[in-house]
Amino acid sequence: MLLRIFRFFSIFSLPLLHAMGSVLGWAVYLLSPSYRRRMRENMARAGYGSHLRQAVAEAGKAVAELPFVWLASDQRIARRVFLKNYELVEEHLRAGRGIVFLTPHLGCFEMTAQRVSHDSPIMVMYRPPKQAAMKPLVEVARARGQMLLAPANLAGVRMLAKFLKSGKPIGILPDQVPQEGEGVWADFFGRPAYTMTLPAKMARLGGDAPVVLTYAERLPRGRGFLVHFVPFPGSLEGDNAQQARAINAAMEQLIAGCPAQYYWSYNRYKVPPGVAAPTTAEAA
């Protein structure tokens, strides 16, 4: 049933879906006090409170565009996707060294790996949705083209490492809160956030594979998506905490490019089960 509903909405134009999404975003914001509070607090902490109104609408668009992104034909999607600095990716693909793509919850993050999969196999880490009814839909949608899925567990990490060592690219959401033992506390917009250590480990396992930041900026009035590809701006040397902070700093720089399109309602600062809260030194 859910798949049929999404297929129905996938025939709508992207401008119409984004218009509907703006309404949806405001409805959720006004009806959910906890959602509203977290979004306002996270944006204020990061210094982007002035973008709140736009961020409310963009959050709704992120949901409403999913039928199009997941189920529209490749031809329709191709007409709505534009690339910036893609020659960086092409250069790394030709070298055959593998690539570690880091995609934060910014813009249409579902679009980035999908676009790369047109030119190369890519494996992305996948965490099944909490709602069982969503699982078949999400797995079908995310396995389009040459995209392969690795579960978010130890077996999945081994799959990613093997794939990367073979010279093929992988994709990771670096701002997703990891589970116990898979992260460290590192500053993110002035507050400690439990941050995964996997991206740096993958780069090392891949023989210092290049790290590329990418996000799909949602263009105004439903025109489509501009997919950015950015070389990692810092260094992944040092210990786990230093590496995690470097990754968070890189994410902050990306978010500064279009702050209204970040997933501000996400509980980025939660303490996962079994993880000790940050110490005073970590919080400083």
Side-chain angles (χ1 to χ4, degrees):
M1 174 63 73
L2 191 59
L3 183 58
R4 286 199 292 269
I5 293 173
F6 268 65
R7 287 198 185 281
F8 171 74
F9 279 103
S10 72
I11 68 176
F12 289 20
S13 70
L14 189 59
L16 177 57
L17 290 173
H18 278 177
M20 295 166 60
S22 295
V23 176
L24 173 65
W26 277 103
V28 174
Y29 180 81
L30 294 173
L31 293 173
S32 174
S34 60
Y35 175 93
R36 183 167 62 248
R37 181 176 61 254
R38 182 176 296 135
M39 176 177 278
R40 292 171 65 94
E41 289 177 354
N42 286 345
M43 294 192 73
R45 177 179 296 111
Y48 294 121
S50 61
H51 296 267
L52 177 63
R53 294 183 63 84
Q54 185 181 352
V56 170
E58 293 294 333
K61 292 177 186 179
V63 175
E65 71 196 8
L66 288 178
F68 178 88
V69 173
W70 284 348
L71 298 173
S73 69
D74 290 342
Q75 293 76 15
R76 287 183 64 204
I77 292 175
R79 290 195 293 269
R80 295 290 183 177
V81 176
F82 310 93
L83 306 178
K84 184 173 183 178
N85 202 28
Y86 191 63
E87 59 272 14
L88 170 69
V89 177
E90 293 174 320
E91 178 183 344
H92 290 322
L93 289 177
R94 285 194 298 268
R97 294 177 52 206
I99 307 170
V100 179
F101 285 106
L102 300 184
T103 306
H105 290 84
L106 178 64
C108 182
F109 53 90
E110 296 281 350
M111 184 59 70
T112 55
Q114 185 182 129
R115 176 57 187 84
V116 174
S117 73
H118 284 291
D119 298 329
S120 168
I122 179 171
M123 182 175 288
V124 297
M125 181 157 278
Y126 165 71
R127 183 170 292 171
K130 295 180 180 180
Q131 297 81 12
M134 286 287 292
K135 185 176 179 179
L137 169 64
V138 174
E139 289 183 347
V140 168
R142 287 182 173 168
R144 296 181 63 157
Q146 302 182 82
M147 195 186 313
L148 305 171
L149 303 178
N153 53 33
L154 184 57
V157 171
R158 290 171 178 158
M159 290 171 61
L160 287 175
K162 182 178 180 180
F163 199 76
L164 184 63
K165 288 179 181 178
S166 72
K168 299 181 179 67
I170 64 171
I172 301 173
L173 288 166
D175 56 345
Q176 192 166 40
V177 178
Q179 298 177 358
E180 178 188 5
E182 299 174 356
V184 294
W185 292 103
D187 184 86
F188 184 64
F189 285 119
R191 181 179 174 184
Y194 198 61
T195 303
M196 63 173 63
T197 56
L198 181 62
K201 291 178 180 177
M202 285 292 108
R204 288 200 305 271
L205 288 173
D208 292 325
V211 178
V212 175
L213 313 180
T214 178
Y215 69 100
E217 179 184 358
R218 197 174 294 112
L219 299 177
R221 295 180 294 280
R223 294 205 309 269
F225 308 95
L226 177 61
V227 185
H228 299 252
F229 297 94
V230 182
F232 190 78
S235 169
L236 289 178
E237 297 178 355
D239 59 22
N240 287 340
Q242 291 170 318
Q243 293 166 355
R245 174 56 194 143
I247 289 172
N248 282 351
M251 296 305 106
E252 291 171 356
Q253 290 183 35
L254 283 191
I255 293 166
C258 54
Q261 294 189 24
Y262 188 62
Y263 188 21
W264 294 109
S265 61
Y266 182 50
N267 191 3
R268 182 67 183 88
Y269 301 102
K270 68 181 178 181
V271 179
V275 175
T279 64
T280 303
E282 288 167 327

